[in-house]
Amino acid sequence: MNARAPGRPRILSRERIVTIARRIADDEGLDALTVRRVAQRLGTGQASLYRHIEDRDELLRLLAEDVAVHLPAPKEHLDVHERVVEQWLDAYDYLSRHRWAARIIAEGEHVADSASTFAESALDALRALAGDAKESRADLARVYRVLWHLLLGHVLNVHPVGHAHSEDAGPRSADESEDTDTAPAPHLDEASTPRDDLAWALPRVLDGMLGTP
């Protein structure tokens, strides 16, 4: 019988620690994630965790690995242009559910070896998309980095600069209201979501950098 006796604590492992750490980051944010907080959620003492991890830094590194493992693979049934766009949109969807993960990636202090799987698949798709353009490996790596910056910007910058005429900006001045030659400024927060903006930007950025139609 492998059943756990009632009241007997579950065996502690790195996997359980990472699972609880991910839940804390999702529920409370990355700043709330400490070894003590993880121990509290697990119903154990900090000393028990130190048998499996060294410190909070290692906990963040393990979380970075966990993030990297779950980054999406390309959808092979799509044509190559859609495959590239959809892989990055899927990555956006994943990171939007775990915004702390985007912060770990952006800060760059914890490099995950498992991220190479996503990188290789994304670069292969970019190479296929470039086709006859024969972009150099260095150029494709630069395109890959630009796409990461674009993705992280849309995940992390929930409220972009420039909401000059949103509801909390106050009424326009009398001079502005009477100036019929001045077109009204668009509301930057009224029409589309960050994902919509990313979906609009990705094909245009790709076409501009790779010269694809």
Side-chain angles (χ1 to χ4, degrees), residues 75-121:
K75 297 171 180 173
E76 298 298 335
H77 66 281
L78 299 175
D79 73 63
V80 65
H81 198 281
E82 290 180 330
R83 193 186 316 156
V84 173
V85 171
E86 286 299 318
Q87 184 177 16
W88 288 94
L89 287 176
D90 287 345
Y92 172 88
D93 292 338
Y94 172 67
L95 293 177
S96 292
R97 294 191 296 271
H98 310 285
R99 291 188 185 275
W100 53 267
R103 180 175 155 189
I104 288 179
I105 295 168
E107 290 176 352
E109 295 180 16
H110 305 280
V111 178
D113 294 337
S114 301
S116 61
T117 302
F118 177 86
E120 288 167 8
S121 66

Side-chain angles (χ1 to χ4, degrees), residues 127-147:
R127 195 172 295 112
L129 181 60
D132 294 336
K134 302 299 182 186
E135 298 287 334
S136 71
R137 188 175 183 84
D139 288 338
L140 289 175
R142 178 169 287 177
V143 174
Y144 174 81
R145 291 194 298 271
V146 167
L147 293 177

